Each structure stands twice: as C-alpha cells, then as structure tokens.
Amino acid sequence: MKSKIALFLSFFCACGQFNAHANDAIEFSGYARIIAGYFDQENVEYDGYDNSINFSPDSLIGLQLDYELNEYFALTGQVKLTDSRVSEDDSSGLEWLYLTYQPTDNIQMKLGKLRTPFFAMSDFSDVGFAYPWINLPQQVYNTYLFDTFNGIDVIYKFSGKNFDASIESYYGYKNGVTEVGNIKSGLEVDNLVGVIGKLNVSNLEFRAAKYSGDASLDFSDLKEMEFQLRELGFTQSADTLSTKGQAEAEQLSILFDNLNYFFRAEWIRITTDFEVIPSADNYYLTGGFNLGAITYHLTYGNSDVTSGSTINEIPTGVSDDLDKLNNAYQEIFRSSTPDELESWTLGVRWDVRTNIALKAEVSTLKGNDGVNSFFSSSDSQNFDKKGNLYLLGLEWVF
Amino acid sequence: MYIKPVKSTLQKISLFLFFNFVVMTNSYATESSNIVLVINSSELTNSLTKQQVRNIYMGGALSQKYLPVHLPVGDPLRVDFNTYIIGLTESRIQSYWAQMKFTGRSKPPIVKATVDEVLQYIIEHENAIAYIPENITLPISLAVLSLSKG
C-alpha cells in the first residue's frame, strides 16, 4: 500500500502544473490520505491497528473523472486504491460510476454504482479532508452496513427566503459481503429504498433518513446449522437462523458550525428480521472550536446493542452429540453479536493549505464485557476491552 | 472604475448593491470593510436574503439558477464575504466542497482572478452574481437594493 501511495504521489508531483481542468467538459480530481496509527494494547487489534505503527488500514487514494456530456448529462467515475481490508466489499476499487441527469435546476438524478448515503457522512467517508476526525465515529460509521449499491438516486432541492432544503430518495440492490461481529457473510439486498430529508437554516443543518431492504445472507455455517436443526426436528431453533429477512435503518443528525466553533450529533438505529443480527442504537456528540487554521474537537460516542435471543429447545446433558449441537448453535449467536463501544476522541486539525490538512487524534476506547467491540484479540481471556488509539494523518484533495 | 458596456446585455443588467458591512469585533476582521453584491438579472423586482446568497454560494437549491463567482482564496474581499455572508472559515468551506464534489452533489463557484474579470463575467452572463468593493465606480443606470431580511 505504501508503495502504491508513493507511486501516485510521485506521479502527481511530477505532473507539477498539471491542469485539473483539461478542458471544460472533462475534469480530473482526487483525494488522498496517509494515516499512521498505533493501538496501545498487546496481542489486540482495533480496526486494523495494533501496537506497532501501521499505515495500511486507512491510507488511500481516490481518483475521480467527470465528463460533462451536455447541459443535462454528465458521467462520473471514482476509484479508490487502498489495502484489501477496506475493499473486501468490492475488490475492483470502483466506488462510484454513474450517469447524472439534471432535467431542471432543482432535480438531479444519478444512475449507476453509487455510495450508499445511509448516514450524514457515509458517502464521503473516504474523503478525510471533508471532516475534522481521522477516524469517523466508529459507532455510526463502522457498522455492518455496506458502502455501495447499484441503482438510482434522485435529489429534489427547494428553498425559501430563510431556508434551503432537499429531499433525496434512492432505490437499488446490492451484492457483496458484510461483517457482523466475528462473522463474515455474503450479502444480497433487493428493494433497497432510502429517503433523506435535509434542512439548512443559517448555520444549522438537520438531516433525517430512513432505509429498508430485503436482505439475504449467504453464510454457509449458518445454513448448514439451520438445515441440521430442521432435520433433527428443532424447528424453532432453526427458524432463529433464518438467512432471509428485512433490514431497516433510521438516522437523525444536527450540525451547527460558524466561524468560531461547531457542534455535531448523530444517532442511528439499525433493526433486522435476523435473530443473529440484532438491533443497534448508536450515536456520537462532537464539539469543537477554530483558532485560525487550527480546529480542536472532542467527541463522545456510544452504542447500545440488543442481542438476538436463542431458543432453549435442544436438550442438554442427554448426549454428547446434542451438547455439541447446542454449543455450536449458541456460538453462532455469540460470534454475531454486533460491536458495542464507548469512546472519547480528542483531535486537532491544521489546514496547512486550502487543499492539505494535518490531523492528530487520540481515542480512549472501552468495549462492553461479553460482546465484541471492534477489537480482535488473540488473548481474549486477559484482555479487558480497553485501550487507546493514536492516529496521525495527512489529508489531501487535488 | 469604468465598466465597458457589452453589446446590449448591459440594458438587462441590474447590479443590486446589497449591503455595507459594519465590521463587528471578530478574529477574522481587523478593519472596516465595505462589500457590495452585484447580480446580472432581468428580474428587477427581485431581492435576495443573506440566507439565499449563502445558499447560492454553497450549492443549495438556487445554485443552479445563479452563477456565483468567487475571487481567489486569500483575497481580502473573499475573506469578508466568507465571514459575513457564508459565516464559515475558508478551511471549513474547502472541506465542505470536498464533500460535495466527491459525492457528485454540486460543484464550487467559479473563480476569477481580479475584480475586473469578475465584472466582465457578470456583464456577459445573465444571473451571474459576485461581491465587489463598494467604492468601485459603476454605470449610472444600475439599480441599488438593500439586502432583504426575508
């Protein structure tokens, strides 16, 4: 990854005076971030970081090409180069590829492969220059939802003398993978529908959104277990391992910013029909202030996960085989329990130039006992699910 | 400053002078400044509120109808405009446009190097809008309006 970044940095530096506006119809642009991180616990990983300096989890380069076909139509493609951990969802690195149609001043339609705008910063979470943190609040932005979908997105904008507003809706489908707790599974979502309302009044922005989709998990262990339970007559238990159902998400956020300080808060709720993927209520609160080109900020984030309920249908203590079956059944629920985390993050951002920012932040992380907390530990018995993450970052747009 | 009429376009132009700034105590302004907003519009009865001007410059609903023009980053007039109309620092505005651009939602206003170039652009484009120094000499036929409070 470092070599890829160095290669691209060299390329753009060598281009020197390269004109991003090759002509009026074609525009080339991009973003890059180099992030170094250190997590202070031994034998534990947090979001890809461990107790050695690590660049790969969040460093990336994104390249975008816009081609304006005429007054109404434009084509846009965006690729992201990063390490495989982040791009497991789609190894092509293609983040956006869409046709834009703007029939009127107020309506914009996008058709193609799009980033899912689930939450306030979901569709630009890779563009670190666009927000104050290095790591977006994990409780909201590191859930088991997916990054991209194929479909159509329509935005209708309207305004009054004292407000500006928009309603956005999208429809599409998704084939990819998802990670819930320690389980990684194939995922298909059909009839993905989302509606987003946004209202700006002076320096205040409100956002509310709702999504739903018909989801299907392709997880062989789960399917085998379900089949086995059903064959043995434990139908209630088998039903709890169903791999088809509806998933829904809701979101509310508020942002206030002015010359001197800012405040952000966002709350999300995710619910599903799957017993193995229970519901989550997550949120964060952020306050910060500006001193010249330097921004200081403090964030509190927390999550509340409601675990799925198992059925005590399999008799225990009768035979070893049934005990093993019951243990395997219970283990699926233990592994799939979503992440629960409480965190404080203190950070600083220095806008060195109009397109370059340096950032530093430290996060104190505390996972709840008994559930996964974004941590991956080889010594889970002795790990108290507490630790500090230190990050340094360079953000660049061009 | 003399503004050369361009064809018959000038007949349609109304330059709305919206506001004189009385500089408040603020870390971003060290002296009094006077900026006027000019717009090339055939809708002579129109006025815009501060919120509407902000929305035009920040990719809102009106940003497609109008053609906002900026001076370069660091220009004192741009700093004043950011301070009193947008209400955000240049850094915050740049990060906002990174968000808008890479999600395909909107593009930032065009930038002209000098006030002369800004005026020339406004004269040539209907619904173009820009901020210029108050003390600049404008054609006598131009209308002057106050900033509407909505």
Side-chain angles (χ1 to χ4, degrees):
Chain A
M1 177 60 200
K2 277 182 277 188
S3 60
K4 277 185 188 174
I5 289 176
L7 181 68
F8 275 87
L9 286 176
S10 305
F11 171 74
F12 288 111
C13 290
C15 288
Q17 300 302 313
F18 178 79
N19 184 358
H21 303 267
N23 63 44
D24 287 345
I26 298 176
E27 184 180 355
F28 172 76
S29 55
Y31 53 87
R33 57 189 330 219
I34 300 172
I35 309 297
Y38 174 83
F39 184 61
D40 68 357
Q41 300 294 305
E42 285 185 15
N43 304 318
V44 181
E45 269 195 21
Y46 172 78
D47 199 32
Y49 295 102
D50 56 23
N51 62 339
S52 64
I53 303 292
N54 194 346
F55 285 86
S56 58
D58 291 308
S59 299
L60 58 87
I61 289 176
L63 302 171
Q64 178 166 305
L65 193 69
D66 295 286
Y67 178 46
E68 203 169 305
L69 298 167
N70 56 41
E71 188 181 349
Y72 302 105
F73 289 94
L75 270 174
T76 300
Q78 189 184 115
V79 292
K80 180 176 78 175
L81 302 169
T82 181
D83 84 339
S84 58
R85 188 190 69 85
V86 184
S87 293
E88 279 169 349
D89 190 41
D90 183 353
S91 59
S92 72
L94 191 64
E95 294 290 296
W96 299 85
L97 183 63
Y98 61 90
L99 179 72
T100 303
Y101 174 50
Q102 183 120 22
T104 72
D105 286 347
N106 296 75
I107 296 175
Q108 184 192 59
M109 297 181 190
K110 287 186 281 195
L111 179 71
K113 182 174 183 179
L114 308 167
R115 287 282 298 242
T116 42
F118 283 128
F119 309 131
M121 290 172 280
S122 296
D123 55 357
F124 60 96
S125 59
D126 293 324
V127 188
F129 188 82
Y131 47 79
W133 306 271
I134 293 177
N135 249 2
L136 285 170
Q138 298 292 286
Q139 291 87 352
V140 171
Y141 291 96
N142 197 2
T143 60
Y144 39 85
L145 297 177
F146 43 90
D147 289 340
T148 62
F149 75 105
N150 296 301
I152 185 168
D153 178 288
V154 181
I155 301 177
Y156 173 66
K157 294 179 181 178
F158 57 100
S159 66
K161 287 189 172 181
N162 294 308
F163 74 92
D164 193 73
S166 67
I167 294 175
E168 179 174 356
S169 60
Y170 60 87
Y171 180 82
Y173 67 94
K174 170 70 183 178
N175 293 324
V177 295
T178 186
E179 286 184 66
V180 185
N182 295 326
I183 287 181
K184 184 177 169 185
S185 166
L187 172 72
E188 280 186 25
V189 180
D190 291 318
N191 298 317
L192 173 67
V193 180
V195 180
I196 305 163
K198 249 186 190 181
L199 175 67
N200 288 77
V201 179
S202 190
N203 290 47
L204 265 175
E205 179 184 289
F206 302 93
R207 186 185 192 271
K210 189 168 175 61
Y211 319 98
S212 70
D214 300 325
S216 173
L217 297 172
D218 182 17
F219 181 43
S220 56
D221 289 1
L222 206 61
K223 284 182 174 174
E224 279 174 26
M225 176 63 75
E226 183 189 358
F227 178 77
Q228 206 172 349
L229 289 169
R230 215 172 284 283
E231 285 285 293
L232 292 169
F234 301 120
T235 54
Q236 286 181 313
S237 300
D239 288 344
T240 63
L241 299 180
S242 170
T243 54
K244 290 185 190 300
Q246 194 170 63
E248 294 184 352
E250 295 159 8
Q251 180 266 1
L252 289 173
S253 64
I254 183 170
L255 163 63
F256 173 82
D257 56 3
N258 67 16
L259 292 164
N260 301 313
Y261 57 91
F262 67 92
F263 171 78
R264 289 175 190 249
E266 185 165 19
W267 166 87
I268 66 163
R269 170 175 289 164
I270 303 171
T271 53
T272 75
D273 289 344
F274 303 102
E275 282 297 330
V276 292
I277 306 180
S279 66
D281 281 83
N282 302 349
Y283 66 92
Y284 66 86
L285 306 164
T286 296
F289 60 95
N290 307 318
L291 284 177
I294 298 179
T295 301
Y296 301 89
H297 55 89
L298 180 66
T299 299
Y300 174 74
N302 207 345
S303 50
D304 181 14
V305 170
T306 307
S307 300
S309 51
T310 56
I311 303 287
N312 293 318
E313 188 183 21
I314 306 168
T316 54
V318 177
S319 75
D320 285 349
D321 287 345
L322 284 177
D323 285 349
K324 282 179 185 171
L325 182 68
N326 186 52
N327 284 340
Y329 171 69
Q330 300 291 342
E331 179 57 29
I332 284 179
F333 281 81
R334 275 193 293 273
S335 297
S336 69
T337 304
D339 303 309
E340 192 162 302
L341 183 75
E342 182 180 15
S343 66
W344 285 93
T345 297
L346 182 65
V348 59
R349 168 180 173 143
W350 174 29
D351 283 88
V352 184
R353 297 183 61 179
T354 54
N355 65 337
I356 295 175
L358 292 173
K359 296 178 182 173
E361 70 185 33
V362 56
S363 297
T364 298
L365 311 164
K366 181 184 169 193
N368 281 1
D369 281 342
V371 294
N372 304 303
S373 298
F374 299 101
F375 300 113
S376 170
S377 173
S378 58
D379 186 13
S380 55
Q381 295 292 323
N382 296 314
F383 176 48
D384 63 359
K385 298 192 173 177
K386 292 178 184 171
N388 299 306
L389 178 68
Y390 302 88
L391 297 172
L392 286 173
L394 168 72
E395 312 278 11
W396 181 31
V397 291
F398 50 90
Chain B
M1 177 184 189
Y2 173 69
I3 300 174
K4 186 180 177 183
V6 178
K7 300 179 183 175
S8 61
T9 312
L10 193 57
Q11 294 168 4
K12 293 195 299 179
I13 293 176
S14 56
L15 292 180
F16 299 82
L17 306 193
F18 281 120
F19 42 87
N20 293 341
F21 292 123
V22 178
V23 176
M24 315 288 278
T25 303
N26 187 296
S27 60
Y28 292 90
T30 56
E31 58 185 20
S32 296
S33 62
N34 295 292
I35 300 178
V36 293
L37 200 67
V38 293
I39 187 170
N40 173 355
S41 172
S42 55
E43 298 172 21
L44 293 172
T45 56
N46 265 4
S47 65
L48 296 173
T49 61
K50 179 178 167 181
Q51 172 85 46
Q52 287 174 314
V53 177
R54 186 184 198 272
N55 294 339
I56 289 169
Y57 271 84
M58 296 294 279
L62 292 174
S63 64
Q64 295 296 315
K65 178 180 178 183
Y66 294 96
L67 295 170
V69 188
H70 256 314
L71 286 163
V73 172
D75 187 293
L77 293 178
R78 177 165 169 150
V79 174
D80 281 353
F81 180 78
N82 289 344
T83 302
Y84 296 105
I85 295 297
I86 306 296
L88 295 173
T89 62
E90 186 66 50
S91 301
R92 176 71 186 95
I93 292 169
Q94 293 293 334
S95 70
Y96 171 83
W97 280 114
Q99 162 194 343
M100 298 298 275
K101 185 174 184 177
F102 294 115
T103 55
R105 285 187 156 73
S106 192
K107 289 182 177 179
I110 64 163
V111 176
K112 294 293 177 185
T114 65
V115 172
D116 284 355
E117 287 183 29
V118 167
L119 284 170
Q120 191 64 36
Y121 183 86
I122 293 171
I123 288 168
E124 292 172 358
H125 295 83
E126 186 165 9
N127 288 330
I129 182 170
Y131 48 89
I132 59 172
E134 186 208 27
N135 57 5
I136 208 163
T137 305
L138 296 169
I140 195 165
S141 59
L142 300 178
V144 178
L145 292 179
S146 299
L147 182 65
S148 164
K149 292 187 176 176

